[in-house]
Amino acid sequence: APDIRSLIIILNFRIRNSGAVLLPTILTIGFLMVALGLAGSIIVLALNRSNFSIRLATAGLAAARAGIDDTYLRIIRDNTWPAVDCDVTRSAGDGNKTYDLTLGEIKVYICIKKETFTNEIKYTINSLAQGGFGAKRQLQAVLNANRTTHQVKTHSLNEIEF
């Protein structure tokens, strides 16, 4: 039979070494919780950024379309307008524009080239919308205006990729 001293030594050894595994376990669980929190934050940030860039691209496209529509109305009012052409083979921008619009935080540069024929005027319109964070969208429209009836028709409307 074991004596009381050997029992006390065995119990004392177990009590002293029972916390040896506790610290690494707590550190491992804490590390996993922090890693999961960081991973969740990164996923939420990526989803928010993609939604924000989609919203910016959509707003840019709508602003470029508003530039085309504004030009359409100006041509309907006066088909001798504009007096100055710009280079529609280049991208519309600050140095290459007929006029510009500001729609909220989005700047729209409109470049118009007018070709006059016997009974028709052909307008080529580039509308570049530049928003925040470098978001750009550009549309090109070709309009035909009858010189005698002043009727304006849209021949084509395309998005120009960068």
Side-chain angles (χ1 to χ4, degrees):
D3 62 343
I4 194 91
R5 274 189 162 181
S6 61
L7 283 175
I8 291 176
I9 291 173
I10 291 172
L11 270 174
N12 199 10
F13 178 75
R14 285 186 181 167
I15 290 173
R16 212 177 318 143
N17 290 333
S18 65
V21 178
L22 188 62
L23 181 64
T25 304
I26 289 175
L27 288 175
T28 303
I29 291 171
F31 175 76
L32 288 174
M33 288 172 56
V34 168
L36 287 173
L38 282 174
S41 297
I42 289 171
I43 289 170
V44 167
L45 179 68
L47 288 174
N48 281 341
R49 279 197 177 182
S50 67
N51 287 340
F52 184 64
S53 62
I54 289 170
R55 186 182 67 78
L56 281 178
T58 304
L61 187 61
R65 179 60 196 239
I68 297 285
D69 291 342
D70 182 69
T71 305
Y72 189 83
L73 290 174
R74 289 180 187 219
I75 290 169
I76 288 173
R77 285 188 210 127
D78 179 14
N79 67 359
T80 62
W81 181 87
V84 179
D85 286 344
C86 67
D87 185 7
V88 291
T89 59
R90 289 182 21 209
S91 178
D94 209 11
N96 186 40
K97 66 180 179 180
T98 304
Y99 74 101
D100 56 35
L101 298 171
T102 303
L103 304 170
E105 297 177 6
I106 300 173
K107 189 85 166 174
V108 182
Y109 300 100
I110 295 139
C111 176
I112 304 166
K113 181 176 184 198
K114 181 169 72 171
E115 298 176 65
T116 305
F117 300 104
T118 308
N119 196 27
E120 187 176 73
I121 302 172
K122 178 182 173 186
Y123 295 94
T124 304
I125 305 161
N126 282 357
S127 177
L128 171 71
Q130 287 184 324
F133 303 105
K136 292 182 184 180
R137 297 297 285 267
Q138 185 167 356
L139 293 176
Q140 184 177 62
V142 177
L143 306 177
N144 295 322
N146 189 313
R147 294 179 80 179
T148 56
T149 64
H150 300 286
Q151 184 179 16
V152 180
K153 292 183 180 179
T154 303
H155 178 69
S156 67
L157 177 64
N158 299 313
E159 182 174 3
I160 299 173
E161 299 293 328
F162 289 98

